[in-house]
Amino acid sequence: MSTMLAENSDVSGAEKVFGFFRDALLDGSLKPGERLLGERELALSLGISRPLLREALRSLAMLGFLDIRHGKGAYVRQADITVLSDFFTFSLAQQPDILDDVMQARVAIECQAIRLACSRATETDLKGIGSKLSRLMDTLHDPVEGAAADFAFHHAIVEASHSEALTTLYGAIGELLRRSHVQRREVTISEPGIVDYLVEAHREVFLSIVDRDADAADRKLRDHFSIGDEFRRRSLISAFTRRPQT
């Protein structure tokens, strides 16, 4: 009984520390670079033991949210997106057919992002997307390099939305998206017409952003996803119906 209570107490105490840290960031009372209260003060204010506080702070430091400096205290760090990306990758990788599911999240994020990019993209953003398009066209016949260029093009569109939330979410599933791009390219690379399609589809998406036509951009992007899925479906059918030559 006492062991169970101790475990529950530890969980409750850790949640107090995480809750305090989360709320302080949300209400602006803590910002990156600022120092937390001293260990004794913070433990007293949260009503937990100092050993438990140290353990919780070490956990936050391991997640990249705190910088613990020996003899100086704990300081808030700017969050590193790779931590969130690893969390999403580890969590989602355990699910069957996860790349297909992640594709649906990609559609949702990108379609909203491209609408925002039509009104928020700067000239620098547009030049960046354009350069990614050029790279994409140069790597059409290489599934790996082409997939990387494809991801970079779409990532640049999301960044051009200037939405921290959308950019963070997109980055969090970035590793899964890169794998999805490679998988889709490997499946469709031999499909007749795929190269011409990739050039035209991405060019139209880019031009719709340049024209700052949010409705057209949304439509072109959804068409791109839909037709891309059709190419993939046809490639899979062809692969399974192909007969070996005798």
Side-chain angles (χ1 to χ4, degrees):
M1 177 68 73
S2 60
T3 301
M4 185 176 295
L5 288 174
E7 290 177 352
N8 288 338
S9 177
D10 286 350
V11 171
S12 177
E15 289 176 349
K16 284 182 180 179
V17 178
F18 296 149
F20 158 79
F21 189 69
R22 179 194 63 233
D23 294 343
L25 289 174
L26 287 172
D27 65 26
S29 57
L30 271 180
K31 294 181 174 60
E34 293 186 344
R35 181 179 179 276
L36 268 63
L37 286 173
E39 185 180 284
R40 180 174 178 278
E41 293 176 271
L42 189 53
L44 284 173
S45 67
L46 295 176
I48 61 175
S49 68
R50 292 173 72 174
L52 178 56
L53 174 65
R54 292 191 201 106
E55 188 63 33
L57 294 182
R58 278 196 291 268
S59 296
L60 288 170
M62 289 179 64
L63 291 170
F65 299 134
L66 288 179
D67 178 16
I68 299 178
R69 305 173 190 174
H70 183 65
K72 294 184 178 180
Y75 292 78
V76 181
R77 289 185 60 183
Q78 185 71 46
D80 185 352
I81 186 61
T82 58
V83 174
L84 185 59
S85 180
D86 287 342
F87 173 80
F88 269 87
T89 301
F90 293 155
S91 297
L92 296 175
Q94 302 173 39
Q95 308 302 318
D97 301 319
I98 192 56
L99 294 186
D100 287 337
D101 192 33
V102 166
M103 186 64 190
Q104 301 309 311
R106 176 190 170 193
V107 171
I109 294 171
E110 284 194 39
C111 286
Q112 178 59 22
I114 201 170
R115 297 188 73 89
L116 293 174
C118 285
S119 60
R120 297 180 179 179
T122 65
E123 288 302 314
T124 300
D125 291 328
L126 295 177
K127 289 179 181 178
I129 298 171
S131 70
K132 301 296 189 299
L133 178 59
S134 296
R135 175 61 181 164
L136 188 153
M137 291 180 176
D138 291 338
T139 56
L140 290 168
H141 297 283
D142 186 327
V144 176
E145 289 297 319
D150 205 334
F151 172 79
F153 173 82
H154 288 271
H155 192 197
I157 292 174
V158 176
E159 290 182 324
S161 72
H162 293 279
S163 165
E164 287 296 328
L166 292 178
T167 303
T168 298
L169 289 171
Y170 200 78
I173 58 175
E175 180 57 32
L176 294 169
L177 291 178
R178 290 184 184 90
R179 290 175 180 270
S180 174
H181 276 288
V182 173
Q183 182 190 74
R184 295 165 77 85
R185 284 296 184 96
E186 289 176 340
V187 168
T188 61
I189 192 65
S190 60
E191 184 69 19
I194 187 64
V195 171
D196 290 340
Y197 160 72
L198 287 171
V199 171
E200 187 61 19
H202 288 90
R203 187 182 70 84
E204 288 189 1
V205 167
F206 173 58
L207 291 177
S208 65
I209 301 173
V210 174
D211 289 340
R212 300 194 180 277
D213 187 335
D215 289 337
D218 189 325
R219 184 173 63 255
K220 294 292 184 183
L221 188 58
R222 290 181 187 277
D223 287 346
H224 169 43
F225 289 138
S226 177
I227 297 173
D229 284 341
E230 176 61 19
F231 269 106
R232 182 167 174 264
R233 187 185 69 82
R234 281 161 43 186
S235 294
L236 290 171
I237 291 174
S238 176
F240 281 102
T241 56
R242 195 178 296 124
R243 294 288 185 273
Q245 293 182 350
T246 57

